[in-house]
Amino acid sequence: MNPVYEKLMSCYESVRRKTDFEPKVALVLGSGLGKFADEIEVTARIPYNEIEGFPISTVPGHAGQFVFGYIEGVPVVCMQGRVHYYEGYPITDVVLPARLMGLLGAKYLFLTNASGGINRDFKAGDFMMLTDHISLFAPNPLIGPNIDEIGTRFPDMSSVYDPILCDIILSVADDYGIEMQSGVYAQLTGPSFESPAEIRMLGKLGVDAVGMSTVVEAIAANHMGMKVCAISCVCNLAAGIQETPLTHDEVQEAAAKAAPLFKQIVRESIIRIGAL
Ligand code: HPA
């Protein structure tokens, strides 16, 4: 058997020994946004270290557990903490959790992250809904033997971020009077922040916000037929645009400050996605 699939199935069986919960929506909480899990009427929590072979995050601020439960009756699984490629895991491990949530039953994947703003109309603290991405700077998670059991060798990526889910996010933001930017996100590997020259390059390529996650998960989820949407919290303006040096603390602080509005958008979007 394909070793990547074998590991995925062994994680699946490990989770299934602990819960038979079937989520409809899967949610990944980015840097500083983990508190959203408090919104969930919890039925089960599974720390990642109780799942055999599961990649464990080493980043401060990334708690590290699956939370299963309901938001207004919508069955959800939420990843409190995710692993990043820069931690040294193979890219197939980085996307294993997204795939696992798909196998557990989630039809929808809601990704969130922290990013640096490149678009000159953005300011720190803005939200940006992803309309598309550029994946060229991180390894493609589908490299290696294809897992035929879950998807095709050459999957289409012409609408990675599902237009119906995007419409839901925009209408929620509108209904709540919350400003929502839209744009293209690029995932770089990190862990160093970008240089000003890299940011100028990304700007010329049409990138609106840059971060170190999300795109690989979105590709893997699309590959297996999940519908995906994503919101970025633009925590800072990217290197060379903002004058002060970037720090992880600054990113976390900005995300924490944005958390209450972010909670509202994500919660209401999930309720509306649950009605699809
Ligand atoms: N660059 C990359 N990742 C980030 C940034 C940034 O400026 N801010 C938050 N995550």
Side-chain angles (χ1 to χ4, degrees):
M1 204 199 274
N2 180 327
V4 173
Y5 187 55
E6 205 168 330
K7 186 167 186 176
L8 179 61
M9 290 314 290
S10 117
C11 288
Y12 172 80
E13 279 150 23
S14 188
V15 170
R16 276 289 172 248
R17 280 193 288 275
K18 294 175 198 295
T19 180
D20 58 5
F21 192 90
E22 278 202 24
K24 179 166 185 179
V25 182
L27 175 65
V28 180
L29 299 173
S31 288
L33 302 169
K35 278 221 162 71
F36 181 83
D38 299 345
E39 296 289 298
I40 297 172
E41 227 177 279
V42 178
T43 58
R45 285 191 176 87
I46 305 183
Y48 299 150
N49 63 11
E50 290 181 11
I51 305 168
E52 245 169 84
F54 195 87
I56 313 282
S57 173
T58 57
V59 186
H62 287 252
Q65 59 178 354
F66 280 121
V67 180
F68 295 89
Y70 295 89
I71 292 178
E72 294 282 333
V74 181
V76 298
V77 55
C78 163
M79 279 189 81
Q80 210 172 6
R82 58 144 73 90
V83 293
H84 295 82
Y85 184 57
Y86 59 73
E87 291 175 77
Y89 292 98
I91 202 72
T92 47
D93 272 4
V94 176
V95 301
L96 181 149
R99 285 175 161 160
L100 177 55
M101 294 190 292
L103 285 185
L104 292 171
K107 302 268 177 294
Y108 301 97
L109 176 63
F110 199 134
L111 296 162
T112 70
N113 64 46
S115 66
I118 299 179
N119 184 317
R120 297 292 169 143
D121 293 335
F122 291 3
K123 50 193 186 312
D126 277 355
F127 296 116
M128 185 190 90
M129 185 192 73
L130 276 63
T131 53
D132 205 345
H133 69 218
I134 289 183
S135 86
L136 304 171
F137 303 103
N140 192 298
L142 308 182
I143 288 174
N146 186 52
I147 307 177
D148 296 326
E149 290 85 346
I150 63 176
T152 178
R153 172 77 289 188
F154 300 109
D156 176 64
M157 292 287 148
S158 45
S159 45
V160 177
Y161 303 94
D162 183 73
I164 293 170
L165 303 187
C166 289
D167 281 350
I168 288 178
I169 290 171
L170 292 178
S171 59
V172 168
D174 199 39
D175 292 350
Y176 282 77
I178 298 168
E179 194 184 1
M180 177 65 68
Q181 310 279 11
S182 295
V184 173
Y185 174 94
Q187 174 175 359
L188 270 63
T189 64
S192 50
F193 288 112
E194 303 71 34
S195 69
E198 286 162 350
I199 293 300
R200 286 195 298 277
M201 173 193 75
L202 292 171
K204 286 182 179 152
L205 294 179
V207 175
D208 297 294
V210 60
M212 306 176 192
S213 66
T214 301
V215 169
V216 291
E217 290 121 309
I219 291 173
N222 262 270
H223 174 240
M224 66 187 293
M226 296 172 86
K227 302 243 181 267
V228 179
C229 62
I231 301 180
S232 184
C233 175
V234 179
C235 291
N236 54 276
L237 296 182
I241 301 177
Q242 93 171 30
E243 279 163 17
T244 48
L246 303 176
T247 66
H248 182 62
D249 285 351
E250 172 191 350
V251 170
Q252 293 228 285
E253 265 170 43
K257 220 164 121 190
L261 283 187
F262 177 81
K263 251 190 204 177
Q264 271 190 329
I265 298 176
V266 175
R267 182 186 162 83
E268 186 59 30
S269 299
I270 287 176
I271 294 167
R272 295 187 195 182
I273 292 168
L276 288 176

